[in-house]
Amino acid sequence: MEEVLDVYERPYDPQRPVVCMDEMPYQLLIDVHPPLPMEPGQPCREDYEYERNGVCNIFLFFEPLAGKRYVWINEHRTRVDWAEAMRYLADECYPDAEVIVVVMDNLNTHGPASFYEAFDPAEAHRLRERFEFHYTPKHGSWLNMAEIELSALVRTCLKRRIPDKETLRREVQAWADERDQKAVRVEWHFTTADARTKLKRLYPKIHD
């Protein structure tokens, strides 16, 4: 926990950006009957019946100090999918950064071994050198600021039926672009010193 909190106290450095990463599945749903449009005094109405159209996985990357977010949508959430998303982060989002500091949970797909499963050894090594990983502790995923952004994404964009992957990608990207234009950031105030006081019960007791 303190490792992650110490990372959040680092000053902004474009050569070593701190990026929080998280992911979530999303069920694609097709309306069997077209919704009825809004009318004066009447909200949009949709029938309870729908057709399942598979599941996508949303990878979300959030740089809290810069107010930037990037999304990568795949059909699965395997090691290879995560590795491809991380290559996108390194080569498309931060090509000029020396090292990308990544905060994420310790899911078994989130690690350098996934690079070697997805790419040849030279490419896997290149990507491994681009990242500095920091993992949130078990039951401590709330320390990952990407969770805050995923919550905002669900509340403001995904609480409706989206029929296919391309529509999902377009809608999520529009959501990210709007928040980027507004430079929506997270002001993180919980420090290591706070943790030692407020979460004292979680620390081991040392007796002389």
Side-chain angles (χ1 to χ4, degrees):
M1 176 177 62
E2 291 191 358
E3 177 184 332
V4 173
L5 294 175
D6 289 345
V7 168
Y8 287 164
E9 292 191 53
R10 296 179 185 178
Y12 176 70
D13 183 353
Q15 290 301 308
R16 300 180 67 88
V18 175
V19 178
C20 300
M21 175 267 162
D22 205 357
E23 60 180 283
M24 64 169 286
Y26 184 77
Q27 175 73 62
L28 301 172
L29 302 173
I30 300 174
D31 287 309
V32 175
H33 305 288
L36 299 177
M38 289 189 296
E39 299 176 354
Q42 183 68 56
C44 177
R45 289 159 289 172
E46 62 180 25
D47 191 79
Y48 68 89
E49 190 176 3
Y50 58 82
E51 179 183 338
R52 298 180 186 274
N53 193 33
V55 177
C56 283
N57 198 62
I58 301 171
F59 294 91
L60 176 67
F61 303 100
F62 175 50
E63 186 185 354
L65 293 180
K68 295 180 181 178
R69 51 211 38 84
Y70 304 95
V71 291
W72 179 267
I73 297 176
N74 277 22
E75 293 182 358
H76 308 289
R77 55 182 306 180
T78 65
R79 291 179 182 272
V80 172
D81 293 299
W82 179 82
E84 290 176 346
M86 297 303 290
R87 181 158 69 170
Y88 160 76
L89 181 69
D91 295 348
E92 301 295 329
C93 305
Y94 297 96
D96 299 323
E98 293 178 1
V99 174
I100 305 165
V101 182
V102 180
V103 175
M104 58 187 171
D105 62 36
N106 54 11
L107 192 67
N108 62 356
T109 57
H110 297 170
S114 295
F115 294 144
Y116 288 88
E117 187 166 325
F119 309 117
D120 63 68
E123 176 68 355
H125 179 75
R126 181 188 74 86
L127 289 172
R128 177 65 187 89
E129 294 300 302
R130 292 296 313 281
F131 296 105
E132 174 188 320
F133 294 131
H134 298 273
Y135 296 96
T136 58
K138 187 176 181 181
H139 306 305
S141 61
W142 57 273
L143 291 165
N144 187 351
M145 284 188 265
E147 278 203 355
I148 299 173
E149 285 300 298
L150 277 180
S151 177
L153 173 62
V154 171
R155 293 194 315 270
T156 60
C157 181
L158 299 183
K159 280 194 171 182
R160 56 198 171 99
R161 296 173 188 169
I162 296 180
D164 54 67
K165 184 172 71 172
E166 290 308 313
T167 303
L168 177 65
R169 179 178 288 114
R170 185 171 61 250
E171 293 294 318
V172 172
Q173 188 60 57
W175 169 87
D177 291 342
E178 181 181 9
R179 288 177 73 82
D180 283 356
Q181 290 169 7
K182 295 178 180 178
V184 178
R185 299 176 174 86
V186 172
E187 294 186 9
W188 188 267
H189 298 291
F190 193 72
T191 66
T192 298
D194 294 327
R196 291 175 182 175
T197 300
K198 298 178 181 180
L199 300 178
K200 185 178 180 179
R201 68 187 186 282
L202 301 180
Y203 285 79
K205 293 180 174 58
I206 307 298
H207 301 283
D208 294 332

